[in-house]
Amino acid sequence: MAEDHASLDGAVEEGVVPGWQPTPWALPRTTAVDNLANALRRHGLTEGGVHAMARAAVRPDDMRRRLADPAELRVQGGTLLIAETRLWSATVLPHPANPREYGHRQYALSGLGMRRSTLVEPRSAPGDAAGLEMRAETPSRLAQRLEDAKGRLVRDNPLAQDIAVEGVLQPLTVVPLTVVHENGHPDCALLIAADGSSRISAVHELLDYQPSRIAYEWGADARKLRGEISRWARLVRKQGWPGLTEDERSKVRALSVPARVVVGFRPDTRTGQMFHTAVRNFIGLTHIRPPRPYGPAVENEAKADAVLDSLAEPGRSATAHITETEKRWFSGAISREEVKAAGLSHELDIRAEEIIRSLLGGGIRTARRVNEGIRSLTAKQRPKREERVDVAVELILRPVRTGLSDDAKFVRPRRAVLQRAYRLPEIEELRAEVRWEEPGAGGHALEKLRDAALAEADRGLGDNGRLGPAQTELAVKAAYHMAMAEPMALQREVFGGGEDEDDRGAATVLRAMLSRRRGILQAYEVVRAGRAGERLHEVDESGGPLLTAEGWPRALTDALVRHAYSGGPVPLEDSRVGSKAASVSWACVRESVDRLRRDVDGMAGVPVEEGGASFVAQEGWAPSQVKEVRDALDRVSRRIAGWADRAEERAEAVAAES
């Protein structure tokens, strides 16, 4: 299990993601390419656009049939006529004047001594053809511009890992572009992605394609283009799909892309807008004024249903992870009467713990099944553990949110707390066959869970940096009720507070709490009271209620929980020296390491600009400051490594004496 846990967010996905197996594409016959070119000419395209489209089609005959009745795409200023088909990736380029780069462009008018811009915005091609035209000083200027565009797009919007598994899913909108060189070099006919420059740039990154080579070498010599495609076709025929390496499979998946090829334009007679304006309007509608995003909560809801489908489906070599009844229970699409008839629990904290166990526990195997569901909607190659947690929390909240859709003040903070609490790493080790409260259990099951957690605490679990399975199960259930209580007995960490503020995350507070006998008794009382619909109150070392000066039970709050379970040494005689004191101090060390990891992640998440790439990933950080920190970490690492060596020596000595 330790090996499973160690690799959940890293190599766990290596070599186990089946991914998409495309139909082997055959190199089309030249007669089919010529027939498509003749059909394209009847649509009034430029001769360069005709040749570029014809040689780009994976299935020329299919595209020719679609030309007979092209689809219509309404945009402001007119209607684009499109044919949906597949194109070879070696024939499509990112938009040389991609609007995504407006914020990074340099202009000669700044007076900084720069040369005048070598590229201007594309204009409509002469006549009524559905094509663009752009002027460039020289081929090298355009080539450099294409390389720069690819580099920035790959860096700012990295999609290569996802495309490597599933290929490009959504079609690119492809438009013909003629480049006119001012130095007299022959015109160059290209196909550019008016929408989808990030996707085609990621594809080129996977295939190690240089945009300049696509534009000026393969674009000018059909034999070289066909040679590039045929070498992959031969490899697949020779090796077969199982015989390919994963790197070769990712390249074959990216060899072609789905596309909506613009083959005509019907302007709105009232506006008289030209083709380039209609294309620009389309780009703006897609990126500048896109439909309002669903938002994280709705996205997690959709992922949750996909994950449940994945867990309820039998695998190729394994049974379903959950039953159809459990799927309906987790999704909330089951009545309380049906829950009782199925022998399931009506307690929402038990349902929450079963969801957590089914979606987050069980190590690598569970993570793979959950990731399959997430990938089915997002094509994300390696969903992070945090994403799996967010999906689980959204399922847990479904019964709570019913009737509270407009009460964001109630739902939002509870969602945030549970998302943080259920990032407790020990949850990954929960197994289906080891539980103290079954979904239909009754009687004294909760008391048995409490006693098992107390026994684990007596053995030092928790203080050594890891909770035991009983402590973890009780933590999951208590966290649910502490988050749902009013006032909330577990809240988010404090950001930007003073030095005296407790800025520990919810998972860290839970571990500190469940590492103490008093904390376990507190968690038991939280679950008992929560199920009974009573207010949560604080307990003493024996589990009895702590009373106020007026004699009333003291209400449990986040502040009281954080004060009682601060994570520091407890005021007991046997914790001042020896193993117990060392265990408590080690828990503090682990907490500091966790805090450091969170701080590093937080710094890596600081963007260059709103919605942009990571600042440090793009700009880096001062080497002298990095060296200072690394040297300090190295000294600490060497010191604690010495402790491990000493422990091994002691163990070997004891074994030898035995």
Side-chain angles (χ1 to χ4, degrees), residues 4 38 136 300 379 421 536 580 590 627 637 643:
D4 283 2
N38 291 331
N300 287 330
L536 306 187
K580 183 68 174 178
R590 282 295 305 267
K627 184 178 185 302
S637 178
W643 301 346

Side-chain angles (χ1 to χ4, degrees), residues 100 104 605-613:
R100 189 182 290 275
H104 304 281
V606 175
V608 176
E609 57 189 11
E610 190 67 33

Side-chain angles (χ1 to χ4, degrees), residues 359-380:
L359 270 68
L360 305 178
I364 289 176
R365 292 181 180 85
T366 301
R368 290 174 184 167
R369 296 293 294 270
V370 174
N371 285 353
E372 285 177 10
I374 295 174
R375 274 194 298 269
S376 68
L377 286 184
T378 65
K380 184 177 292 185

